[in-house]
Structures are given as C-alpha cells and as structure tokens.
C-alpha cells in the first residue's frame, strides 16, 4: 500500500541517517544513483557522542564540501594529554591529513550531513523504523524490499515497504536491521562503554581538546579508559568518560556516577559551571568485530560494521569513509555481488590497523598494566607524539616516514596472528 511521502521503490535504500548513512546517500546521489535515506528518528536528533572530529574526519568532511561550514565551528590544534603527573600539548601531526580538528554537537552535525545528502539528490524520510526485509530465494537471497514501521499521530503503528535493488545498512551500534540480515557482534575483542554530557564553561573556545589518560574510579583506582573535555564554542563543552572492556574483562563501572566524579575533579581547572546536561551513555562496537558485513545486494557500514577505532573511540570519520566507499562500490558495479567485495574493501582499508589497535586496546584492560606503563609514556613527549599518531590512526597510505611504516608493519604482523580477523 502506498503511504504519502514514502517512495515505493528505489535503486539504493539507505537505512540510518547518521554520518555513515548520510555520507553513503550523498555520495551515491552524486554518482547519479536513485537514493532513498530513511531513519527511525525525526531530525534534528541527538546521538550519544563526544562530538570530536579528528583530522581524518576533517579530511572526509572536506571531501563532502563542508570545510568552510566546519571552520565556522571550533578549530582545534591538537590534544592536551593529562595524566600521571604530566600535561603535554601534542599538535595534530599534519602530513597527508589536515593539521586541525574540530568538534560539532551531533544534533547539528548529523542534521547538516542529512541535508547535504538531500541537496545531492537523495530523498530522505524520517520517522520510519526498518523492522524486516523481503528476500528472493530464501535466507541467503538478495533483499528485494525493506519493511518499515511508523507511529501515527494517535499512536497506531503503520507498516510500509520500500522495494530496493541495493540496501545500505547504517543503523548504528545495535544494528537491528543488520541482525535481521545475520550480523553478529563479537565481544571477545575489545569494545567501549562510554558516556557524555554537556556543561557550560568559559573555556569553550580552548584551541586544544583535552584527554585525561589517568581516569580514576570511586576507589581512586586507575581505570582502563580516559576522560575528555572537547570545547564546542558558544560557552559549552562536551565532557565524557569511556572505558574499554572485553567479554573476559567487563568494564564493571557505572558510567554516569563516573562522569559526575570526573566533572567534579575538573571543575576548577576547566571553569566548568553548573550541572551536567543531557547525560547519556552507550556501547561502542570496535575494530571490525562483526561477522556477516555484506550479502548479495546489501552492506553494513559505520557502527553497524563496528568501524570504530579501538584506541580513541572515533567512529564519525569511519562512518563517513565507509559511506563514501560503499557508494563508490555501488556506482562501479551495478549488479555485482557485494558479499565478498564489500568485506574485501573493509579488510583492505581497516583490517591491519584495526587488528593492531584492538590488540593494544585489549592490553589496556589487563589489570595493572596502565598504571605501570602510563607514567613512563607520559614522561616522553616523543612517545606521546607517536602514540597520538597511532592512536588516531593518523597514518595514510601515502605516508612513508618511519612511524607510518612501523604502524603498517605492526598491523600486518598482528592481522596474521588474529584468531578472528576484523570483519570475519
Ligand atoms: C559516548 C560516546 C562518545 C563518542 N565520541 C566520539 C567522538 O568524539 N568522535 C567520534 O568520531 N566518534 C565518537 N563516538 C562514536 C560515534 O558516535 C559513532 O561511531 C558514530 O555515531 C557512528 O555513526 P553511524 O552513522 O554508523 O551510526 P549512528 O550515528 O548511530 O546513526 C545510526 C542511525 O540509524 C538510525 N536507526 C537505528 N535503527 C534504525 C532502524 N531500525 N530503522 C531506521 N533507522 C534506524 C538511528 O536513529 C540513527 O540516526 C562516540 C560514541 C559514544 C557512545
């Protein structure tokens, strides 16, 4: 049955209008494809996030033509790392990537990205939750339509189907539609548990983002994670804490009380004023720790494909990148099977870096290791400059310097030893 405002059919259907989905929709539309972008939420909508944009993300937003828009927001020069009695100012390394970062509240960023997709020619419909798929020829067959549900004004549920030739699944960390398609998230490798809030500060124009690498819990114990304060301009900052966990070593922390504790400890130094607003927490799938990332005519991107850097929790950039790359693939091979080709793209771009990053992040969850190594690392500007580059995966294929070569080699060695490599 046709429903007003909802297209019945499209070439490319993108489910989820976060950074990943909007990027996929924008690039696919720019390739001249017929694109529909749906989301369960009504925009603008919030998303639990630190709102931080590293130079990788700035680079990707610039490709979308958003550099000038981004520069109207905060511009930061690098990371101020605190911990173990030290404070180091670590400028972004530059090289083949921009030498600046930014931070934009997700309510605004995601709305702007979705508008960018619409301007590129995608048809966007919000308030539509994908709940099921229709397939041709059984469970392994191609998806022919997605079943979506919306809630009417008097609370009644209404179902609608959109037929599609290709499907991009960008429905975030829990990926409900991905699950219908067989996506499995493995927690034997590292994942994140994190929370964020907003608070007023007269230091909201600080040109450095701050991270506290010595995050302490209520018993003054060092936790396997870090706290952050990301200036957003306009008198407010994003403040949050994140910890790393594995199935064997769960985080065992209550995020919201930890955020309050962290805020109180930083209140004077960062001129934090008043109460925390919009405190929320969420999980972060990381390092490609999912199986079944693609089928004959569908592909998972962004958080749905666990494309989050295990060493810094960055996922906006990977969402934007995977959106662009899947659109390129769809434009290049109109009818080709995506099952192997999309997995191969993910493995080629992120397999080695995610493998070594999640191995190192996993070490941080080993009790006693961070308190032992943290002070040593923080005493060396050289070590921390390297760490910033590696933790941010700020290494491009074009980089030929020693640090880049060491990182790539570590990735190759790590991937060769993985019991379950990324995206397998
Ligand atoms: C506390 C915290 C802090 C973080 N800090 C940072 C940071 O500072 N920088 C950074 O780069 N990354 C950060 N991340 C990670 C980042 O938020 C994610 O990696 C990023 O949002 C992934 O984008 P996405 O488009 O894949 O998914 P999302 O942004 O989650 O978008 C998914 C979209 O899908 C929609 N959706 C879900 N289910 C359905 C459905 N069934 N039907 C239709 N639509 C659906 C949702 O409404 C949503 O709009 C942080 C994460 C957390 C939890």
């Amino acid at each position: 049955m046709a429903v007003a405002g909802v297209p019945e059919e499209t070439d490319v259907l993108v489910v989820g209008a976060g950074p990943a989905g909007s990027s996929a929709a924008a690039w696919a539309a720019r390739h001249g494809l017929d694109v529909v972008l749906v989301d369960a939420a009504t925009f603008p909508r919030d998303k639990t996030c630190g709102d931080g944009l590293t130079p990788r993300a700035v680079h990707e937003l610039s490709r979308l033509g958003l550099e000038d828009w981004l520069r109207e927001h905060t511009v930061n020069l690098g990371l101020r790392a605190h911990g173990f009695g030290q404070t180091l100012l670590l400028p972004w390394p530059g090289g083949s990537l921009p030498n600046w970062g930014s931070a934009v509240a997700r309510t605004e960023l995601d709305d702007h990205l979705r508008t960018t997709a619409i301007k590129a020619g995608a048809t966007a419909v919000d308030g539509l939750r994908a709940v099921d798929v229709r397939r041709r020829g059984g469970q392994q067959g191609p998806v022919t339509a997605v079943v979506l549900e919306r809630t009417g004004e008097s609370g009644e549920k209404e179902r609608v189907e959109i037929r599609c030739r290709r499907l991009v699944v960008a429905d975030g960390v829990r990926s409900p539609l991905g699950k219908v398609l067989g996506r499995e998230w493995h927690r034997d490798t590292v994942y994140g548990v994190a929370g964020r809030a907003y608070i007023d500060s007269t230091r909201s124009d600080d040109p450095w983002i701050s991270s506290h690498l010595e995050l302490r819990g209520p018993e003054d114990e060092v936790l396997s994670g870090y706290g952050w304060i990301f200036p957003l301009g306009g008198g407010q900052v994003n403040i949050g804490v994140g910890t790393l966990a594995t199935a064997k070593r769960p985080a065992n922390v209550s995020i919201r009380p930890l955020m309050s504790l962290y805020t109180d400890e930083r209140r004077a130094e960062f001129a934090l004023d008043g109460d925390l607003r919009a405190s929320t927490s969420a999980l972060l799938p990381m390092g490609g720790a999912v199986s079944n990332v693609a089928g004959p005519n569908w592909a998972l991107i962004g958080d749905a494909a666990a494309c989050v850097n295990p060493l810094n929790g960055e996922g906006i950039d990977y969402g934007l990148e995977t959106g662009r790359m899947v659109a390129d693939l769809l434009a290049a091979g109109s009818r080709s099977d995506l099952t192997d080709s999309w997995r191969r793209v993910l493995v080629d771009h992120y397999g080695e870096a995610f493998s070594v990053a999640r191995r190192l992040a996993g070490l941080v969850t080993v009790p006693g290791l961070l308190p032992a190594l943290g002070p040593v690392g923080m005493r060396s500007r050289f070590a921390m400059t390297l760490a910033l580059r590696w933790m941010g995966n700020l290494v491009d294929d074009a980089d030929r310097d020693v640090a880049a070569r060491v990182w790539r080699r570590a990735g190759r060695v790590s991937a060769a030893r993985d019991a379950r490599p990324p995206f397998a």
Side-chain angles (χ1 to χ4, degrees), residues 16 18-20 39-40 45 47 49-52 106 130 170-171 194 303 313-316:
D39 199 288
R45 62 101 181 89
K47 154 78 178 84
C49 189
D51 305 329
R106 290 291 297 274
D171 55 354
D303 276 10
E314 176 181 24
I316 298 171

Side-chain angles (χ1 to χ4, degrees), residues 112-126:
H112 196 70
L113 285 167
R114 182 172 171 273
T115 302
T116 303
I118 294 169
K119 282 188 182 157
T123 301
V125 189
D126 56 14

Side-chain angles (χ1 to χ4, degrees), residues 98-375:
N99 60 0
W100 59 283
S102 184
V104 181
R106 290 291 297 274
T107 308
E108 186 186 351
L109 177 74
D110 289 19
D111 196 46
H112 196 70
L113 285 167
R114 182 172 171 273
T115 302
T116 303
I118 294 169
K119 282 188 182 157
T123 301
V125 189
D126 56 14
L128 273 185
R129 178 176 302 282
V131 291
D132 205 354
V133 294
R134 307 264 179 242
R135 299 189 231 223
R136 191 169 53 238
Q139 280 297 94
Q140 304 306 318
V143 171
T144 54
V146 172
V147 182
L148 303 128
E149 199 170 75
R150 78 172 167 195
T151 309
E153 273 169 25
S154 45
E156 80 289 357
K157 301 265 190 240
E158 181 183 32
R159 283 203 167 191
V160 55
E161 291 188 17
I162 302 180
R163 293 191 299 280
C164 59
R165 278 178 288 284
R166 281 88 61 86
L167 170 65
V168 176
V169 181
D171 55 354
V173 48
R174 295 194 181 275
S175 189
L177 193 63
K179 266 190 219 150
V180 170
L181 292 161
R183 177 229 202 216
E184 219 185 319
W185 174 11
H186 308 286
R187 301 191 196 186
D188 46 350
T189 49
V190 77
Y191 62 92
V193 187
R196 72 92 226 256
Y198 296 100
I199 190 165
D200 291 339
S201 168
T202 48
R203 289 188 57 185
S204 73
D205 291 318
D206 189 340
W208 299 86
I209 59 171
S210 286
S211 283
H212 292 85
L213 308 176
E214 183 185 356
L215 178 66
R216 289 191 177 261
E219 312 294 326
D220 206 34
E221 73 281 24
V222 177
L223 300 173
S224 58
Y226 70 96
W228 69 79
I229 296 172
F230 293 168
L232 289 167
Q236 71 168 352
V237 298
N238 182 313
I239 185 163
V241 295
T243 60
L244 293 165
T246 62
K248 265 198 199 145
R249 288 190 282 270
N252 287 334
V253 285
S254 305
I255 289 293
R256 288 185 199 207
L258 186 60
M259 264 202 290
S260 299
L261 181 65
Y262 175 67
T263 305
D264 288 340
E265 282 168 356
R266 308 293 153 217
R267 205 169 265 282
E269 186 185 355
F270 286 86
L272 306 176
D273 187 25
D275 294 332
L276 293 176
R277 293 186 297 277
S279 296
T280 51
S281 62
L283 298 178
L284 286 97
M286 290 175 156
V290 293
S291 320
N292 299 321
V293 288
N297 67 339
W298 56 267
L300 306 186
I301 62 172
D303 276 10
C307 287
V308 173
N309 180 349
L311 285 171
N312 68 356
E314 176 181 24
I316 298 171
D317 167 66
Y318 296 93
L320 295 170
E321 285 182 21
T322 51
R324 173 176 51 76
M325 293 189 300
V326 83
D328 288 350
L329 191 64
L330 297 180
S334 62
R335 303 224 175 263
S336 61
D337 191 315
L338 298 176
T339 314
D340 291 328
S341 55
W342 178 238
R343 201 178 79 81
R344 179 57 35 216
V345 169
L346 291 176
V347 170
D348 285 352
H349 280 84
Y350 306 123
E352 291 173 355
F354 278 176
S355 170
V356 64
R358 71 189 193 184
R359 204 175 281 274
L360 292 174
L363 285 179
V364 172
T365 67
V366 174
L369 209 71
L370 190 60
L373 293 185

